[in-house]
Amino acid sequence: MDREAVAVQVLSPIPVTFCYQASAAGGAELAAAQNEFFARILRQHPTRFAALGAVALQDPDLAVDEMRRCMRQPGFLGVEIGTRVAGRELGDECFDRFFAIAAELGALVFVHPSDQDLPPRVTELGLGFGAGMPTETALAAAALIVGGALSRRPGVRMCLAHGGGALPALIGRLDKGALIAGASADSPDLPSRLAGQIWCDSLTYGRHTLAAAIDVFGRDHVVFGSDYPFPAMPEPLDDIVANLPADLRQRIRRTNLEESWRISWVSA
């Protein structure tokens, strides 16, 4: 971290450990073990790390219990979940209570795609990383927006991985679809307006793509993403944000997160 000039790192589960196809009891046990590991690191290095917890969302009640447990511990900012849960979309009403409690707790819900949810066509073409993951994120987000779940869950702080995936490229078309279906041009429920409630990270691998994400989600709703320690991390780590105006670069790298969660790290 010091070598990369990273003052604070937010730890999160590896998506392969979501294990939504496993039994709820087994998934909950794995989530708790991961969170205990994170908690130990946070206790040992409280000024250098924060964390997003794991939850077994195949059982929303167990997920709520584990999320509450995480949020009672110093340094946890929220939880990480996948784009689908054992075939169920995140907009399914069975998850409404989970998201309501997340809003009540002020927990960030970080949505990250998983290899296991990608269609065979994408993986067989070798496009899982390049096209499959951003498309999966965009589909999950679009379904939340167009299906009404986002409107049904006010106050939820949801952050999409990888600059929202392909959603910024699709948002105009989603608006047009809503207009064709009868929405008015000044409707607060147009997809482009609802998208402003969502957050994203900066890990787009392209500066033009990041600019599109900032335009869709807003300059105050973008946080720094690194994909550390995997091979997909940018080199240098801040390459994607390096050419942004200084104030915007600082917002993404630090102050958006600090201001929203009223947190500060003295070593930063």
Side-chain angles (χ1 to χ4, degrees), residues 10 77 106 108 157 159 196 198-202 210 213-215 217-225 241 244-265:
V10 180
L77 304 182
L108 172 70
R157 301 190 201 192
C159 181
I198 302 173
W199 292 61
C200 76
D201 71 21
S202 63
L210 177 58
I214 293 168
D215 184 59
F217 301 111
R219 58 186 283 124
D220 295 337
H221 276 201
V222 183
V223 293
F224 191 79
V241 302
L244 293 175
D247 62 328
L248 178 56
R249 187 169 66 248
Q250 180 71 351
R251 293 206 68 83
I252 291 173
R253 293 198 304 186
R254 176 173 172 174
T255 55
N256 280 344
L257 192 65
E258 286 186 327
E259 290 176 0
S260 184
W261 276 266
R262 297 184 176 89
I263 53 179
S264 182
W265 290 275

Side-chain angles (χ1 to χ4, degrees), residues 16-107:
V16 72
T17 66
F18 292 155
C19 296
Y20 294 140
Q21 301 292 346
S23 70
E29 184 176 353
L30 176 60
Q34 291 183 85
N35 295 334
E36 284 299 326
F37 174 73
F38 291 151
R40 286 197 300 271
I41 294 175
L42 300 181
R43 288 193 295 269
Q44 293 167 2
H45 306 283
T47 65
R48 300 302 303 270
F49 293 101
L52 297 171
V55 293
L57 200 51
Q58 61 267 55
D59 185 321
D61 290 334
L62 287 178
V64 164
D65 291 344
E66 186 63 20
M67 177 168 59
R68 287 189 186 278
R69 193 175 73 88
C70 287
M71 295 303 289
R72 287 195 294 266
Q73 302 185 71
F76 278 86
L77 304 182
V79 296
E80 181 184 16
I81 64 173
T83 52
R84 283 185 286 174
V85 181
R88 287 180 292 180
E89 297 294 337
L90 297 182
D92 192 303
E93 291 182 359
C94 73
F95 301 124
D96 281 357
R97 177 172 176 264
F98 170 81
F99 283 101
I101 299 300
E104 175 187 304
L105 296 173

Side-chain angles (χ1 to χ4, degrees), residues 94-130:
C94 73
F95 301 124
D96 281 357
R97 177 172 176 264
F98 170 81
F99 283 101
I101 299 300
E104 175 187 304
L105 296 173
L108 172 70
V109 180
F110 183 50
V111 180
H112 194 293
S114 172
D115 291 334
Q116 289 89 337
D117 288 327
L118 303 183
R121 180 188 181 197
V122 172
T123 56
E124 288 167 5
L125 289 170
L127 294 173
F129 175 83

Side-chain angles (χ1 to χ4, degrees), residues 181-240:
S184 64
D186 59 355
S187 170
D189 293 326
L190 273 185
S192 59
R193 295 194 175 101
L194 290 173
Q197 300 176 25
I198 302 173
W199 292 61
C200 76
D201 71 21
S202 63
L203 193 62
T204 61
Y205 302 103
R207 293 170 184 172
H208 293 300
T209 316
L210 177 58
I214 293 168
D215 184 59
V216 168
F217 301 111
R219 58 186 283 124
D220 295 337
H221 276 201
V222 183
V223 293
F224 191 79
S226 69
D227 219 25
Y228 178 88
F230 296 101
M233 58 187 286
E235 295 182 13
L237 203 59
D238 65 347
D239 178 66
I240 301 165

